[in-house]
mmCIF file of all heavy atoms in Angstrom:
data_model
loop_
_atom_site.group_PDB
_atom_site.id
_atom_site.type_symbol
_atom_site.label_atom_id
_atom_site.label_comp_id
_atom_site.label_asym_id
_atom_site.label_seq_id
_atom_site.Cartn_x
_atom_site.Cartn_y
_atom_site.Cartn_z
ATOM 1 N N SER A 191 102.866 101.716 132.319
ATOM 2 C CA SER A 191 103.543 101.622 131.023
ATOM 3 C C SER A 191 103.621 102.954 130.287
ATOM 4 O O SER A 191 104.249 103.030 129.229
ATOM 5 C CB SER A 191 102.823 100.591 130.139
ATOM 6 O OG SER A 191 101.453 100.943 129.976
ATOM 7 N N SER A 192 103.002 104.006 130.815
ATOM 8 C CA SER A 192 103.115 105.318 130.178
ATOM 9 C C SER A 192 104.209 106.168 130.814
ATOM 10 O O SER A 192 104.436 107.294 130.400
ATOM 11 C CB SER A 192 101.776 106.065 130.260
ATOM 12 O OG SER A 192 101.434 106.337 131.607
ATOM 13 N N MET A 193 104.900 105.607 131.820
ATOM 14 C CA MET A 193 105.980 106.337 132.490
ATOM 15 C C MET A 193 107.303 106.076 131.776
ATOM 16 O O MET A 193 107.685 104.932 131.544
ATOM 17 C CB MET A 193 106.081 105.926 133.957
ATOM 18 C CG MET A 193 104.865 106.329 134.774
ATOM 19 S SD MET A 193 104.956 105.767 136.489
ATOM 20 C CE MET A 193 106.335 106.741 137.080
ATOM 21 N N THR A 194 108.005 107.159 131.442
ATOM 22 C CA THR A 194 109.282 107.057 130.748
ATOM 23 C C THR A 194 110.397 106.734 131.733
ATOM 24 O O THR A 194 110.214 106.761 132.952
ATOM 25 C CB THR A 194 109.617 108.375 130.030
ATOM 26 O OG1 THR A 194 109.730 109.419 131.016
ATOM 27 C CG2 THR A 194 108.535 108.736 129.026
ATOM 28 N N THR A 195 111.575 106.456 131.190
ATOM 29 C CA THR A 195 112.731 106.117 132.014
ATOM 30 C C THR A 195 113.044 107.220 133.017
ATOM 31 O O THR A 195 113.289 106.948 134.202
ATOM 32 C CB THR A 195 113.962 105.876 131.119
ATOM 33 O OG1 THR A 195 113.686 104.793 130.226
ATOM 34 C CG2 THR A 195 115.190 105.537 131.946
ATOM 35 N N ILE A 196 113.033 108.464 132.572
ATOM 36 C CA ILE A 196 113.374 109.569 133.472
ATOM 37 C C ILE A 196 112.320 109.710 134.564
ATOM 38 O O ILE A 196 112.643 110.048 135.716
ATOM 39 C CB ILE A 196 113.554 110.887 132.676
ATOM 40 C CG1 ILE A 196 114.256 111.945 133.532
ATOM 41 C CG2 ILE A 196 112.244 111.387 132.126
ATOM 42 C CD1 ILE A 196 115.695 111.642 133.832
ATOM 43 N N GLN A 197 111.066 109.413 134.258
ATOM 44 C CA GLN A 197 110.008 109.477 135.277
ATOM 45 C C GLN A 197 110.172 108.355 136.303
ATOM 46 O O GLN A 197 109.958 108.564 137.499
ATOM 47 C CB GLN A 197 108.636 109.397 134.605
ATOM 48 C CG GLN A 197 108.261 110.651 133.833
ATOM 49 C CD GLN A 197 106.962 110.487 133.053
ATOM 50 O OE1 GLN A 197 106.682 109.417 132.515
ATOM 51 N NE2 GLN A 197 106.169 111.540 132.986
ATOM 52 N N VAL A 198 110.558 107.178 135.833
ATOM 53 C CA VAL A 198 110.791 106.059 136.751
ATOM 54 C C VAL A 198 111.974 106.369 137.664
ATOM 55 O O VAL A 198 111.938 106.093 138.873
ATOM 56 C CB VAL A 198 111.030 104.755 135.961
ATOM 57 C CG1 VAL A 198 111.495 103.633 136.892
ATOM 58 C CG2 VAL A 198 109.757 104.336 135.235
ATOM 59 N N LEU A 199 113.032 106.952 137.114
ATOM 60 C CA LEU A 199 114.186 107.345 137.928
ATOM 61 C C LEU A 199 113.783 108.351 138.995
ATOM 62 O O LEU A 199 114.174 108.237 140.162
ATOM 63 C CB LEU A 199 115.281 107.931 137.033
ATOM 64 C CG LEU A 199 116.167 106.926 136.292
ATOM 65 C CD1 LEU A 199 117.029 107.635 135.247
ATOM 66 C CD2 LEU A 199 117.046 106.150 137.272
ATOM 67 N N ASN A 200 113.003 109.355 138.609
ATOM 68 C CA ASN A 200 112.546 110.362 139.576
ATOM 69 C C ASN A 200 111.720 109.715 140.683
ATOM 70 O O ASN A 200 111.864 110.070 141.861
ATOM 71 C CB ASN A 200 111.722 111.435 138.864
ATOM 72 C CG ASN A 200 112.590 112.543 138.296
ATOM 73 O OD1 ASN A 200 113.468 113.071 138.978
ATOM 74 N ND2 ASN A 200 112.365 112.901 137.044
ATOM 75 N N LEU A 201 110.870 108.765 140.316
ATOM 76 C CA LEU A 201 110.038 108.084 141.303
ATOM 77 C C LEU A 201 110.891 107.284 142.281
ATOM 78 O O LEU A 201 110.648 107.292 143.498
ATOM 79 C CB LEU A 201 109.050 107.171 140.587
ATOM 80 C CG LEU A 201 107.972 106.504 141.441
ATOM 81 C CD1 LEU A 201 107.061 107.550 142.069
ATOM 82 C CD2 LEU A 201 107.153 105.540 140.597
ATOM 83 N N LEU A 202 111.890 106.580 141.761
ATOM 84 C CA LEU A 202 112.780 105.780 142.599
ATOM 85 C C LEU A 202 113.537 106.661 143.589
ATOM 86 O O LEU A 202 113.626 106.353 144.782
ATOM 87 C CB LEU A 202 113.764 105.002 141.724
ATOM 88 C CG LEU A 202 114.825 104.173 142.455
ATOM 89 C CD1 LEU A 202 114.182 103.018 143.213
ATOM 90 C CD2 LEU A 202 115.876 103.650 141.475
ATOM 91 N N LEU A 203 114.071 107.764 143.102
ATOM 92 C CA LEU A 203 114.850 108.654 143.973
ATOM 93 C C LEU A 203 113.954 109.328 145.011
ATOM 94 O O LEU A 203 114.369 109.542 146.158
ATOM 95 C CB LEU A 203 115.577 109.709 143.129
ATOM 96 C CG LEU A 203 116.576 109.162 142.105
ATOM 97 C CD1 LEU A 203 117.250 110.290 141.362
ATOM 98 C CD2 LEU A 203 117.618 108.263 142.761
ATOM 99 N N HIS A 204 112.729 109.648 144.617
ATOM 100 C CA HIS A 204 111.793 110.261 145.566
ATOM 101 C C HIS A 204 111.406 109.267 146.657
ATOM 102 O O HIS A 204 111.294 109.637 147.837
ATOM 103 C CB HIS A 204 110.544 110.743 144.844
ATOM 104 C CG HIS A 204 109.473 111.235 145.771
ATOM 105 N ND1 HIS A 204 109.545 112.450 146.412
ATOM 106 C CD2 HIS A 204 108.311 110.658 146.181
ATOM 107 C CE1 HIS A 204 108.481 112.602 147.184
ATOM 108 N NE2 HIS A 204 107.717 111.531 147.051
ATOM 109 N N LYS A 205 111.218 108.017 146.284
ATOM 110 C CA LYS A 205 110.820 106.998 147.249
ATOM 111 C C LYS A 205 111.825 106.880 148.383
ATOM 112 O O LYS A 205 111.464 106.746 149.550
ATOM 113 C CB LYS A 205 110.672 105.652 146.535
ATOM 114 C CG LYS A 205 110.369 104.479 147.468
ATOM 115 C CD LYS A 205 110.174 103.202 146.671
ATOM 116 C CE LYS A 205 109.941 102.028 147.613
ATOM 117 N NZ LYS A 205 109.682 100.773 146.889
ATOM 118 N N PHE A 206 113.116 106.952 148.043
ATOM 119 C CA PHE A 206 114.160 106.818 149.050
ATOM 120 C C PHE A 206 114.719 108.165 149.504
ATOM 121 O O PHE A 206 115.708 108.214 150.224
ATOM 122 C CB PHE A 206 115.296 105.941 148.513
ATOM 123 C CG PHE A 206 114.877 104.516 148.315
ATOM 124 C CD1 PHE A 206 114.606 104.026 147.058
ATOM 125 C CD2 PHE A 206 114.720 103.673 149.402
ATOM 126 C CE1 PHE A 206 114.199 102.714 146.878
ATOM 127 C CE2 PHE A 206 114.320 102.360 149.232
ATOM 128 C CZ PHE A 206 114.057 101.881 147.967
ATOM 129 N N ARG A 207 114.078 109.266 149.055
ATOM 130 C CA ARG A 207 114.506 110.617 149.423
ATOM 131 C C ARG A 207 115.994 110.821 149.116
ATOM 132 O O ARG A 207 116.763 111.283 149.940
ATOM 133 C CB ARG A 207 114.250 110.880 150.911
ATOM 134 C CG ARG A 207 112.798 110.666 151.353
ATOM 135 C CD ARG A 207 111.837 111.615 150.643
ATOM 136 N NE ARG A 207 110.536 111.646 151.293
ATOM 137 C CZ ARG A 207 109.530 110.839 150.993
ATOM 138 N NH1 ARG A 207 109.681 109.935 150.028
ATOM 139 N NH2 ARG A 207 108.374 110.930 151.632
ATOM 140 N N VAL A 208 116.387 110.413 147.903
ATOM 141 C CA VAL A 208 117.773 110.593 147.463
ATOM 142 C C VAL A 208 117.932 112.024 146.959
ATOM 143 O O VAL A 208 117.114 112.511 146.175
ATOM 144 C CB VAL A 208 118.142 109.590 146.348
ATOM 145 C CG1 VAL A 208 119.558 109.847 145.833
ATOM 146 C CG2 VAL A 208 118.013 108.168 146.873
ATOM 147 N N GLU A 209 118.969 112.693 147.414
ATOM 148 C CA GLU A 209 119.170 114.105 147.097
ATOM 149 C C GLU A 209 119.710 114.310 145.683
ATOM 150 O O GLU A 209 119.498 115.340 145.062
ATOM 151 C CB GLU A 209 120.139 114.723 148.109
ATOM 152 C CG GLU A 209 120.015 116.211 148.258
ATOM 153 C CD GLU A 209 120.816 116.719 149.449
ATOM 154 O OE1 GLU A 209 122.059 116.742 149.347
ATOM 155 O OE2 GLU A 209 120.203 117.062 150.467
ATOM 156 N N ASN A 210 120.437 113.307 145.154
ATOM 157 C CA ASN A 210 121.004 113.433 143.809
ATOM 158 C C ASN A 210 119.905 113.583 142.770
ATOM 159 O O ASN A 210 118.784 113.111 142.956
ATOM 160 C CB ASN A 210 121.845 112.208 143.476
ATOM 161 C CG ASN A 210 122.927 111.943 144.498
ATOM 162 O OD1 ASN A 210 122.627 111.648 145.642
ATOM 163 N ND2 ASN A 210 124.167 112.036 144.081
ATOM 164 N N LYS A 211 120.248 114.222 141.638
ATOM 165 C CA LYS A 211 119.286 114.454 140.559
ATOM 166 C C LYS A 211 119.164 113.219 139.669
ATOM 167 O O LYS A 211 120.123 112.458 139.498
ATOM 168 C CB LYS A 211 119.717 115.658 139.708
ATOM 169 C CG LYS A 211 119.890 116.948 140.491
ATOM 170 C CD LYS A 211 118.582 117.390 141.120
ATOM 171 C CE LYS A 211 118.749 118.720 141.844
ATOM 172 N NZ LYS A 211 117.504 119.119 142.547
ATOM 173 N N ALA A 212 117.999 113.058 139.064
ATOM 174 C CA ALA A 212 117.751 111.909 138.194
ATOM 175 C C ALA A 212 118.692 111.903 136.992
ATOM 176 O O ALA A 212 119.044 110.841 136.473
ATOM 177 C CB ALA A 212 116.297 111.915 137.727
ATOM 178 N N GLU A 213 119.117 113.090 136.550
ATOM 179 C CA GLU A 213 120.001 113.195 135.383
ATOM 180 C C GLU A 213 121.369 112.560 135.634
ATOM 181 O O GLU A 213 122.122 112.313 134.697
ATOM 182 C CB GLU A 213 120.184 114.653 134.976
ATOM 183 C CG GLU A 213 118.937 115.324 134.428
ATOM 184 C CD GLU A 213 117.915 115.664 135.512
ATOM 185 O OE1 GLU A 213 118.297 115.671 136.702
ATOM 186 O OE2 GLU A 213 116.742 115.913 135.166
ATOM 187 N N GLU A 214 121.693 112.293 136.885
ATOM 188 C CA GLU A 214 122.990 111.697 137.219
ATOM 189 C C GLU A 214 122.993 110.187 137.006
ATOM 190 O O GLU A 214 124.049 109.554 137.099
ATOM 191 C CB GLU A 214 123.355 111.994 138.680
ATOM 192 C CG GLU A 214 123.505 113.473 138.995
ATOM 193 C CD GLU A 214 123.800 113.716 140.465
ATOM 194 O OE1 GLU A 214 124.511 112.871 141.067
ATOM 195 O OE2 GLU A 214 123.312 114.726 141.014
ATOM 196 N N PHE A 215 121.824 109.605 136.725
ATOM 197 C CA PHE A 215 121.712 108.151 136.652
ATOM 198 C C PHE A 215 121.078 107.704 135.336
ATOM 199 O O PHE A 215 120.403 108.481 134.663
ATOM 200 C CB PHE A 215 120.860 107.625 137.821
ATOM 201 C CG PHE A 215 121.337 108.092 139.158
ATOM 202 C CD1 PHE A 215 120.686 109.128 139.813
ATOM 203 C CD2 PHE A 215 122.441 107.511 139.764
ATOM 204 C CE1 PHE A 215 121.120 109.574 141.042
ATOM 205 C CE2 PHE A 215 122.883 107.954 140.993
ATOM 206 C CZ PHE A 215 122.227 108.983 141.642
ATOM 207 N N VAL A 216 121.307 106.450 134.995
ATOM 208 C CA VAL A 216 120.676 105.834 133.829
ATOM 209 C C VAL A 216 120.225 104.429 134.208
ATOM 210 O O VAL A 216 120.709 103.851 135.192
ATOM 211 C CB VAL A 216 121.636 105.758 132.612
ATOM 212 C CG1 VAL A 216 121.941 107.134 132.065
ATOM 213 C CG2 VAL A 216 122.930 105.035 132.987
ATOM 214 N N LEU A 217 119.305 103.886 133.429
ATOM 215 C CA LEU A 217 118.851 102.515 133.607
ATOM 216 C C LEU A 217 119.345 101.657 132.453
ATOM 217 O O LEU A 217 119.331 102.093 131.299
ATOM 218 C CB LEU A 217 117.320 102.454 133.674
ATOM 219 C CG LEU A 217 116.634 103.132 134.861
ATOM 220 C CD1 LEU A 217 115.118 102.960 134.756
ATOM 221 C CD2 LEU A 217 117.145 102.600 136.186
ATOM 222 N N TYR A 218 119.790 100.445 132.771
ATOM 223 C CA TYR A 218 120.225 99.488 131.758
ATOM 224 C C TYR A 218 119.428 98.203 131.903
ATOM 225 O O TYR A 218 119.091 97.790 133.013
ATOM 226 C CB TYR A 218 121.711 99.146 131.925
ATOM 227 C CG TYR A 218 122.650 100.191 131.382
ATOM 228 C CD1 TYR A 218 123.104 101.235 132.187
ATOM 229 C CD2 TYR A 218 123.087 100.147 130.061
ATOM 230 C CE1 TYR A 218 123.964 102.196 131.698
ATOM 231 C CE2 TYR A 218 123.951 101.107 129.560
ATOM 232 C CZ TYR A 218 124.382 102.127 130.383
ATOM 233 O OH TYR A 218 125.232 103.082 129.887
ATOM 234 N N MET A 219 119.134 97.577 130.784
ATOM 235 C CA MET A 219 118.637 96.211 130.784
ATOM 236 C C MET A 219 119.864 95.320 130.658
ATOM 237 O O MET A 219 120.553 95.337 129.623
ATOM 238 C CB MET A 219 117.659 95.972 129.633
ATOM 239 C CG MET A 219 117.010 94.592 129.657
ATOM 240 S SD MET A 219 115.929 94.323 131.064
ATOM 241 C CE MET A 219 114.481 95.285 130.586
ATOM 242 N N VAL A 220 120.170 94.591 131.711
ATOM 243 C CA VAL A 220 121.381 93.760 131.753
ATOM 244 C C VAL A 220 120.976 92.302 131.554
ATOM 245 O O VAL A 220 120.110 91.784 132.269
ATOM 246 C CB VAL A 220 122.109 93.927 133.105
ATOM 247 C CG1 VAL A 220 123.355 93.050 133.151
ATOM 248 C CG2 VAL A 220 122.483 95.386 133.324
ATOM 249 N N HIS A 221 121.606 91.652 130.592
ATOM 250 C CA HIS A 221 121.249 90.280 130.239
ATOM 251 C C HIS A 221 122.238 89.291 130.839
ATOM 252 O O HIS A 221 123.380 89.640 131.160
ATOM 253 C CB HIS A 221 121.209 90.119 128.717
ATOM 254 C CG HIS A 221 120.280 91.090 128.055
ATOM 255 N ND1 HIS A 221 118.946 90.822 127.845
ATOM 256 C CD2 HIS A 221 120.495 92.347 127.578
ATOM 257 C CE1 HIS A 221 118.370 91.871 127.267
ATOM 258 N NE2 HIS A 221 119.294 92.798 127.089
ATOM 259 N N GLU A 222 121.796 88.065 130.981
ATOM 260 C CA GLU A 222 122.634 87.007 131.544
ATOM 261 C C GLU A 222 123.924 86.835 130.745
ATOM 262 O O GLU A 222 124.976 86.513 131.298
ATOM 263 C CB GLU A 222 121.845 85.692 131.568
ATOM 264 C CG GLU A 222 122.553 84.542 132.240
ATOM 265 C CD GLU A 222 121.751 83.254 132.161
ATOM 266 O OE1 GLU A 222 120.971 83.104 131.194
ATOM 267 O OE2 GLU A 222 121.891 82.412 133.060
ATOM 268 N N SER A 223 123.859 87.069 129.446
ATOM 269 C CA SER A 223 125.023 86.922 128.573
ATOM 270 C C SER A 223 126.088 87.985 128.813
ATOM 271 O O SER A 223 127.220 87.861 128.370
ATOM 272 C CB SER A 223 124.583 86.997 127.105
ATOM 273 O OG SER A 223 124.051 88.285 126.809
ATOM 274 N N GLY A 224 125.721 89.061 129.528
ATOM 275 C CA GLY A 224 126.640 90.181 129.723
ATOM 276 C C GLY A 224 126.284 91.382 128.863
ATOM 277 O O GLY A 224 126.854 92.467 129.023
ATOM 278 N N GLU A 225 125.334 91.199 127.958
ATOM 279 C CA GLU A 225 124.879 92.310 127.112
ATOM 280 C C GLU A 225 124.184 93.355 127.984
ATOM 281 O O GLU A 225 123.430 93.029 128.905
ATOM 282 C CB GLU A 225 123.915 91.780 126.060
ATOM 283 C CG GLU A 225 123.399 92.834 125.091
ATOM 284 C CD GLU A 225 122.391 92.268 124.114
ATOM 285 O OE1 GLU A 225 122.111 91.051 124.183
ATOM 286 O OE2 GLU A 225 121.872 93.044 123.291
#
Side-chain angles (χ1 to χ4, degrees):
S191 57
S192 64
M193 294 177 66
T194 62
T195 300
I196 195 69
Q197 289 174 323
V198 171
L199 280 169
N200 273 312
L201 188 63
L202 176 67
L203 299 181
H204 173 75
K205 175 177 177 177
F206 293 103
R207 304 298 194 270
V208 176
E209 203 170 73
N210 305 65
K211 303 298 183 184
E213 292 75 17
E214 298 177 35
F215 307 102
V216 292
L217 295 180
Y218 281 90
M219 185 66 76
V220 179
H221 304 271
E222 185 183 28
S223 64
E225 182 183 359

